[in-house]
Amino acid sequence: MDFEEGEVVFMNKPLDWTSFDVVNKFRYKLSRKLGVKKIKVGHAGTLDPKATGVMILCTGRATKRIDEFQNRTKEYVATLKLGATTPSFDLEKEIDAVYPTEHISSQMVTDTLQKFKGTIEQIPPAFSACNIDGKRAYELARKGKDAPLKPKTLTIDEIELLDYQLPVIKIRVVCSKGTYIRALARDIGQALNSGAHLIALERTRVGEVTLDKCLSPNDIDEFLDNNINTI
């Protein structure tokens, strides 16, 4: 493989790593193996620190393909805790409100999920990288300032209930670029006349790239040893 010319690598992002942590780890090890000071490495589709799963890295000229990969359909398995919300809609922030869940049934959840299938409008989380007048939304949110985010149009191709253990449910979602699963969790909680936040999220597929095709950070050295072109 010619990483300086351009290659595409599939990674499985670990829990509590940022997407940039994965890119930096791969870039550092790659530059050391190649004996170069600089090499271009980018990624297609950021995952939150509390999310795991498929990340696509591009090196060299293959970074021109980042938009192509970002536009591909994504699949997620999300675990939601009903009856409580957090400002970030996941475990990054502490619970700020609690709600009743006694009225919620498995059938109610199944029926409610179907209301999100198709083309929908979604307001992104305040704690997100959305641009607001040249600033990231999370920068404003961390300062306690209101971040007026506009709804975005997106598509949910598939959504289903995988497991129901009230107050915890697990769902599978197949969706378009730009979907915030954290925001979907918020909206599902509201639709159930309760609250909800993510307690786990795994991106299981990007286009045709599935988890079984992905490297863990621990695999990088062996992968590079086996795939760097030698004369």
Side-chain angles (χ1 to χ4, degrees):
M1 298 176 76
D2 191 340
F3 292 96
E4 291 182 275
E5 178 62 24
E7 297 289 352
V8 178
V9 179
F10 310 138
M11 297 292 301
N12 185 350
K13 189 189 88 62
L15 183 67
D16 289 327
W17 286 45
T18 68
S19 296
F20 293 107
D21 287 338
V22 177
V23 171
N24 290 339
K25 173 72 76 172
F26 187 84
R27 183 193 290 119
Y28 173 77
K29 287 183 175 291
L30 178 59
S31 62
R32 289 286 295 263
K33 295 281 186 182
L34 292 174
V36 298
K37 287 186 177 180
K38 279 190 176 182
I39 185 164
K40 187 183 291 186
V41 180
H43 72 285
T46 299
L47 281 173
D48 292 326
K50 292 298 181 183
T52 64
V54 179
M55 264 189 68
I56 297 179
L57 272 53
C58 300
T59 76
R61 292 183 182 177
T63 52
K64 294 178 181 179
R65 298 185 62 191
I66 284 176
D67 284 346
E68 170 198 334
F69 290 118
Q70 284 180 329
N71 287 327
R72 292 184 180 178
T73 298
K74 318 283 195 309
E75 179 185 69
Y76 296 89
V77 171
T79 305
L80 285 64
K81 185 172 184 179
L82 305 179
T85 57
T86 74
S88 59
F89 311 149
D90 64 6
L91 294 176
E92 284 237 36
K93 298 292 181 180
E94 297 293 322
I95 289 171
D96 60 357
V98 294
Y99 302 86
T101 59
E102 296 82 5
H103 63 286
I104 299 172
S105 67
S106 175
Q107 189 60 52
M108 183 180 178
V109 173
T110 298
D111 293 343
T112 299
L113 292 180
Q114 294 312 302
K115 297 177 182 178
F116 291 92
K117 191 173 180 180
T119 301
I120 65 170
E121 296 285 308
Q122 182 187 78
I123 298 175
F127 287 89
S128 68
C130 289
N131 195 302
I132 302 175
D133 297 329
K135 292 189 176 181
R136 298 296 188 184
Y138 63 77
E139 294 175 350
L140 298 174
R142 285 170 182 164
K143 293 177 181 177
K145 297 180 180 179
D146 287 332
L149 291 159
K150 296 180 180 178
K152 292 188 175 183
T153 302
L154 50 91
T155 303
I156 306 292
D157 296 308
E158 299 176 41
I159 185 167
E160 64 172 329
L161 179 63
L162 298 178
D163 191 35
Y164 173 86
Q165 302 288 336
L166 203 65
V168 175
I169 63 171
K170 184 179 286 188
I171 64 174
R172 184 182 72 90
V173 182
V174 178
C175 56
S176 65
K177 170 188 176 182
T179 304
Y180 281 94
I181 306 299
R182 286 183 290 134
L184 183 62
R186 169 203 63 198
D187 296 341
I188 289 170
Q190 291 175 352
L192 290 168
N193 295 315
S194 184
H197 65 282
L198 280 183
I199 59 173
L201 179 64
E202 183 173 54
R203 186 156 66 193
T204 51
R205 180 169 62 83
V206 176
E208 299 304 313
V209 181
T210 48
L211 277 169
D212 60 307
K213 300 175 182 175
C214 295
L215 303 170
S216 82
N218 292 333
D219 299 327
I220 294 174
D221 284 322
E222 182 180 358
F223 171 76
L224 293 177
D225 286 339
N226 292 335
N227 289 283
I228 286 179
N229 292 339
T230 56
I231 297 174

